[in-house]
mmCIF file with all atom_site columns, all heavy atoms in Angstrom:
data_model
loop_
_atom_site.group_PDB
_atom_site.id
_atom_site.type_symbol
_atom_site.label_atom_id
_atom_site.label_alt_id
_atom_site.label_comp_id
_atom_site.label_asym_id
_atom_site.label_entity_id
_atom_site.label_seq_id
_atom_site.pdbx_PDB_ins_code
_atom_site.Cartn_x
_atom_site.Cartn_y
_atom_site.Cartn_z
_atom_site.occupancy
_atom_site.B_iso_or_equiv
_atom_site.pdbx_formal_charge
_atom_site.auth_seq_id
_atom_site.auth_comp_id
_atom_site.auth_asym_id
_atom_site.auth_atom_id
_atom_site.pdbx_PDB_model_num
ATOM 1   N N   . ILE A 1 189 ? 120.282 15.805 82.551  1.00 0.00 ? 571 ILE A N   1
ATOM 2   C CA  . ILE A 1 189 ? 120.562 16.976 83.391  1.00 0.00 ? 571 ILE A CA  1
ATOM 3   C C   . ILE A 1 189 ? 120.551 16.427 84.863  1.00 0.00 ? 571 ILE A C   1
ATOM 4   O O   . ILE A 1 189 ? 119.887 15.435 85.189  1.00 0.00 ? 571 ILE A O   1
ATOM 5   C CB  . ILE A 1 189 ? 119.464 17.996 83.183  1.00 0.00 ? 571 ILE A CB  1
ATOM 6   C CG1 . ILE A 1 189 ? 119.979 19.380 83.689  1.00 0.00 ? 571 ILE A CG1 1
ATOM 7   C CG2 . ILE A 1 189 ? 118.166 17.699 83.818  1.00 0.00 ? 571 ILE A CG2 1
ATOM 8   C CD1 . ILE A 1 189 ? 119.130 20.576 83.217  1.00 0.00 ? 571 ILE A CD1 1
ATOM 9   N N   . GLU A 1 190 ? 121.286 17.113 85.765  1.00 0.00 ? 572 GLU A N   1
ATOM 10  C CA  . GLU A 1 190 ? 121.412 16.643 87.119  1.00 0.00 ? 572 GLU A CA  1
ATOM 11  C C   . GLU A 1 190 ? 120.969 17.742 88.083  1.00 0.00 ? 572 GLU A C   1
ATOM 12  O O   . GLU A 1 190 ? 121.361 18.887 87.886  1.00 0.00 ? 572 GLU A O   1
ATOM 13  C CB  . GLU A 1 190 ? 122.848 16.189 87.434  1.00 0.00 ? 572 GLU A CB  1
ATOM 14  C CG  . GLU A 1 190 ? 123.253 15.007 86.545  1.00 0.00 ? 572 GLU A CG  1
ATOM 15  C CD  . GLU A 1 190 ? 124.741 14.644 86.732  1.00 0.00 ? 572 GLU A CD  1
ATOM 16  O OE1 . GLU A 1 190 ? 125.450 15.428 87.413  1.00 0.00 ? 572 GLU A OE1 1
ATOM 17  O OE2 . GLU A 1 190 ? 125.139 13.653 86.115  1.00 0.00 ? 572 GLU A OE2 1
ATOM 18  N N   . ILE A 1 191 ? 120.062 17.404 88.989  1.00 0.00 ? 573 ILE A N   1
ATOM 19  C CA  . ILE A 1 191 ? 119.462 18.431 89.941  1.00 0.00 ? 573 ILE A CA  1
ATOM 20  C C   . ILE A 1 191 ? 120.198 18.191 91.287  1.00 0.00 ? 573 ILE A C   1
ATOM 21  O O   . ILE A 1 191 ? 120.185 17.069 91.813  1.00 0.00 ? 573 ILE A O   1
ATOM 22  C CB  . ILE A 1 191 ? 117.946 18.209 90.061  1.00 0.00 ? 573 ILE A CB  1
ATOM 23  C CG1 . ILE A 1 191 ? 117.351 18.163 88.686  1.00 0.00 ? 573 ILE A CG1 1
ATOM 24  C CG2 . ILE A 1 191 ? 117.410 19.276 90.974  1.00 0.00 ? 573 ILE A CG2 1
ATOM 25  C CD1 . ILE A 1 191 ? 117.379 19.437 87.900  1.00 0.00 ? 573 ILE A CD1 1
ATOM 26  N N   . TYR A 1 192 ? 120.645 19.287 91.915  1.00 0.00 ? 574 TYR A N   1
ATOM 27  C CA  . TYR A 1 192 ? 121.345 19.170 93.124  1.00 0.00 ? 574 TYR A CA  1
ATOM 28  C C   . TYR A 1 192 ? 120.305 19.344 94.267  1.00 0.00 ? 574 TYR A C   1
ATOM 29  O O   . TYR A 1 192 ? 119.685 20.350 94.472  1.00 0.00 ? 574 TYR A O   1
ATOM 30  C CB  . TYR A 1 192 ? 122.392 20.216 93.320  1.00 0.00 ? 574 TYR A CB  1
ATOM 31  C CG  . TYR A 1 192 ? 123.207 20.021 94.574  1.00 0.00 ? 574 TYR A CG  1
ATOM 32  C CD1 . TYR A 1 192 ? 124.259 19.156 94.666  1.00 0.00 ? 574 TYR A CD1 1
ATOM 33  C CD2 . TYR A 1 192 ? 122.958 20.869 95.710  1.00 0.00 ? 574 TYR A CD2 1
ATOM 34  C CE1 . TYR A 1 192 ? 125.010 19.016 95.826  1.00 0.00 ? 574 TYR A CE1 1
ATOM 35  C CE2 . TYR A 1 192 ? 123.713 20.723 96.898  1.00 0.00 ? 574 TYR A CE2 1
ATOM 36  C CZ  . TYR A 1 192 ? 124.710 19.807 96.908  1.00 0.00 ? 574 TYR A CZ  1
ATOM 37  O OH  . TYR A 1 192 ? 125.497 19.626 98.084  1.00 0.00 ? 574 TYR A OH  1
ATOM 38  N N   . THR A 1 193 ? 120.073 18.252 95.087  1.00 0.00 ? 575 THR A N   1
ATOM 39  C CA  . THR A 1 193 ? 119.108 18.265 96.156  1.00 0.00 ? 575 THR A CA  1
ATOM 40  C C   . THR A 1 193 ? 119.479 17.277 97.269  1.00 0.00 ? 575 THR A C   1
ATOM 41  O O   . THR A 1 193 ? 119.936 16.152 96.926  1.00 0.00 ? 575 THR A O   1
ATOM 42  C CB  . THR A 1 193 ? 117.669 18.006 95.661  1.00 0.00 ? 575 THR A CB  1
ATOM 43  O OG1 . THR A 1 193 ? 116.760 17.972 96.725  1.00 0.00 ? 575 THR A OG1 1
ATOM 44  C CG2 . THR A 1 193 ? 117.588 16.692 94.933  1.00 0.00 ? 575 THR A CG2 1
ATOM 45  N N   . ASN A 1 194 ? 119.361 17.669 98.491  1.00 0.00 ? 576 ASN A N   1
ATOM 46  C CA  . ASN A 1 194 ? 119.699 16.825 99.644  1.00 0.00 ? 576 ASN A CA  1
ATOM 47  C C   . ASN A 1 194 ? 121.110 16.265 99.553  1.00 0.00 ? 576 ASN A C   1
ATOM 48  O O   . ASN A 1 194 ? 121.375 15.083 99.823  1.00 0.00 ? 576 ASN A O   1
ATOM 49  C CB  . ASN A 1 194 ? 118.671 15.659 99.741  1.00 0.00 ? 576 ASN A CB  1
ATOM 50  C CG  . ASN A 1 194 ? 117.277 16.171 100.032 1.00 0.00 ? 576 ASN A CG  1
ATOM 51  O OD1 . ASN A 1 194 ? 117.106 17.135 100.750 1.00 0.00 ? 576 ASN A OD1 1
ATOM 52  N ND2 . ASN A 1 194 ? 116.254 15.533 99.465  1.00 0.00 ? 576 ASN A ND2 1
ATOM 53  N N   . ASP A 1 195 ? 122.031 17.093 99.143  1.00 0.00 ? 577 ASP A N   1
ATOM 54  C CA  . ASP A 1 195 ? 123.488 16.787 99.051  1.00 0.00 ? 577 ASP A CA  1
ATOM 55  C C   . ASP A 1 195 ? 123.733 15.631 98.080  1.00 0.00 ? 577 ASP A C   1
ATOM 56  O O   . ASP A 1 195 ? 124.748 14.945 98.171  1.00 0.00 ? 577 ASP A O   1
ATOM 57  C CB  . ASP A 1 195 ? 124.052 16.341 100.439 1.00 0.00 ? 577 ASP A CB  1
ATOM 58  C CG  . ASP A 1 195 ? 123.960 17.472 101.456 1.00 0.00 ? 577 ASP A CG  1
ATOM 59  O OD1 . ASP A 1 195 ? 124.177 18.624 101.062 1.00 0.00 ? 577 ASP A OD1 1
ATOM 60  O OD2 . ASP A 1 195 ? 123.680 17.150 102.660 1.00 0.00 ? 577 ASP A OD2 1
ATOM 61  N N   . LYS A 1 196 ? 122.865 15.467 97.085  1.00 0.00 ? 578 LYS A N   1
ATOM 62  C CA  . LYS A 1 196 ? 123.071 14.530 96.020  1.00 0.00 ? 578 LYS A CA  1
ATOM 63  C C   . LYS A 1 196 ? 122.718 15.172 94.661  1.00 0.00 ? 578 LYS A C   1
ATOM 64  O O   . LYS A 1 196 ? 121.950 16.113 94.591  1.00 0.00 ? 578 LYS A O   1
ATOM 65  C CB  . LYS A 1 196 ? 122.250 13.316 96.301  1.00 0.00 ? 578 LYS A CB  1
ATOM 66  C CG  . LYS A 1 196 ? 122.671 12.504 97.555  1.00 0.00 ? 578 LYS A CG  1
ATOM 67  C CD  . LYS A 1 196 ? 121.810 11.273 97.728  1.00 0.00 ? 578 LYS A CD  1
ATOM 68  C CE  . LYS A 1 196 ? 122.212 10.473 98.948  1.00 0.00 ? 578 LYS A CE  1
ATOM 69  N NZ  . LYS A 1 196 ? 121.350 9.257  99.188  1.00 0.00 ? 578 LYS A NZ  1
ATOM 70  N N   . TRP A 1 197 ? 123.208 14.512 93.617  1.00 0.00 ? 579 TRP A N   1
ATOM 71  C CA  . TRP A 1 197 ? 122.816 14.873 92.307  1.00 0.00 ? 579 TRP A CA  1
ATOM 72  C C   . TRP A 1 197 ? 121.786 13.890 91.789  1.00 0.00 ? 579 TRP A C   1
ATOM 73  O O   . TRP A 1 197 ? 122.031 12.717 91.706  1.00 0.00 ? 579 TRP A O   1
ATOM 74  C CB  . TRP A 1 197 ? 123.974 14.832 91.338  1.00 0.00 ? 579 TRP A CB  1
ATOM 75  C CG  . TRP A 1 197 ? 125.000 15.946 91.542  1.00 0.00 ? 579 TRP A CG  1
ATOM 76  C CD1 . TRP A 1 197 ? 126.251 15.798 92.072  1.00 0.00 ? 579 TRP A CD1 1
ATOM 77  C CD2 . TRP A 1 197 ? 124.828 17.294 91.178  1.00 0.00 ? 579 TRP A CD2 1
ATOM 78  N NE1 . TRP A 1 197 ? 126.877 17.034 92.065  1.00 0.00 ? 579 TRP A NE1 1
ATOM 79  C CE2 . TRP A 1 197 ? 126.088 17.982 91.501  1.00 0.00 ? 579 TRP A CE2 1
ATOM 80  C CE3 . TRP A 1 197 ? 123.862 18.013 90.484  1.00 0.00 ? 579 TRP A CE3 1
ATOM 81  C CZ2 . TRP A 1 197 ? 126.227 19.285 91.281  1.00 0.00 ? 579 TRP A CZ2 1
ATOM 82  C CZ3 . TRP A 1 197 ? 124.047 19.371 90.242  1.00 0.00 ? 579 TRP A CZ3 1
ATOM 83  C CH2 . TRP A 1 197 ? 125.260 19.968 90.716  1.00 0.00 ? 579 TRP A CH2 1
ATOM 84  N N   . GLN A 1 198 ? 120.597 14.339 91.567  1.00 0.00 ? 580 GLN A N   1
ATOM 85  C CA  . GLN A 1 198 ? 119.466 13.523 91.126  1.00 0.00 ? 580 GLN A CA  1
ATOM 86  C C   . GLN A 1 198 ? 119.461 13.574 89.593  1.00 0.00 ? 580 GLN A C   1
ATOM 87  O O   . GLN A 1 198 ? 119.524 14.709 88.994  1.00 0.00 ? 580 GLN A O   1
ATOM 88  C CB  . GLN A 1 198 ? 118.113 13.974 91.665  1.00 0.00 ? 580 GLN A CB  1
ATOM 89  C CG  . GLN A 1 198 ? 116.972 13.028 91.463  1.00 0.00 ? 580 GLN A CG  1
ATOM 90  C CD  . GLN A 1 198 ? 117.110 11.877 92.425  1.00 0.00 ? 580 GLN A CD  1
ATOM 91  O OE1 . GLN A 1 198 ? 117.637 12.038 93.529  1.00 0.00 ? 580 GLN A OE1 1
ATOM 92  N NE2 . GLN A 1 198 ? 116.556 10.727 92.061  1.00 0.00 ? 580 GLN A NE2 1
ATOM 93  N N   . VAL A 1 199 ? 119.497 12.433 88.918  1.00 0.00 ? 581 VAL A N   1
ATOM 94  C CA  . VAL A 1 199 ? 119.679 12.385 87.490  1.00 0.00 ? 581 VAL A CA  1
ATOM 95  C C   . VAL A 1 199 ? 118.290 12.449 86.808  1.00 0.00 ? 581 VAL A C   1
ATOM 96  O O   . VAL A 1 199 ? 117.437 11.609 87.039  1.00 0.00 ? 581 VAL A O   1
ATOM 97  C CB  . VAL A 1 199 ? 120.414 11.106 87.041  1.00 0.00 ? 581 VAL A CB  1
ATOM 98  C CG1 . VAL A 1 199 ? 120.609 11.075 85.579  1.00 0.00 ? 581 VAL A CG1 1
ATOM 99  C CG2 . VAL A 1 199 ? 121.794 11.077 87.790  1.00 0.00 ? 581 VAL A CG2 1
ATOM 100 N N   . PHE A 1 200 ? 118.110 13.412 85.857  1.00 0.00 ? 582 PHE A N   1
ATOM 101 C CA  . PHE A 1 200 ? 116.925 13.530 85.066  1.00 0.00 ? 582 PHE A CA  1
ATOM 102 C C   . PHE A 1 200 ? 117.334 13.317 83.570  1.00 0.00 ? 582 PHE A C   1
ATOM 103 O O   . PHE A 1 200 ? 118.488 13.608 83.244  1.00 0.00 ? 582 PHE A O   1
ATOM 104 C CB  . PHE A 1 200 ? 116.321 14.900 85.244  1.00 0.00 ? 582 PHE A CB  1
ATOM 105 C CG  . PHE A 1 200 ? 115.552 15.049 86.488  1.00 0.00 ? 582 PHE A CG  1
ATOM 106 C CD1 . PHE A 1 200 ? 116.270 15.013 87.767  1.00 0.00 ? 582 PHE A CD1 1
ATOM 107 C CD2 . PHE A 1 200 ? 114.194 15.292 86.560  1.00 0.00 ? 582 PHE A CD2 1
ATOM 108 C CE1 . PHE A 1 200 ? 115.603 15.156 88.955  1.00 0.00 ? 582 PHE A CE1 1
ATOM 109 C CE2 . PHE A 1 200 ? 113.538 15.460 87.785  1.00 0.00 ? 582 PHE A CE2 1
ATOM 110 C CZ  . PHE A 1 200 ? 114.219 15.413 88.965  1.00 0.00 ? 582 PHE A CZ  1
#
Side-chain angles (χ1 to χ4, degrees):
I571 202 168
E572 298 173 356
I573 311 293
Y574 186 81
T575 176
N576 296 325
D577 297 324
K578 294 181 180 179
W579 289 105
Q580 195 73 27
V581 181
F582 285 64

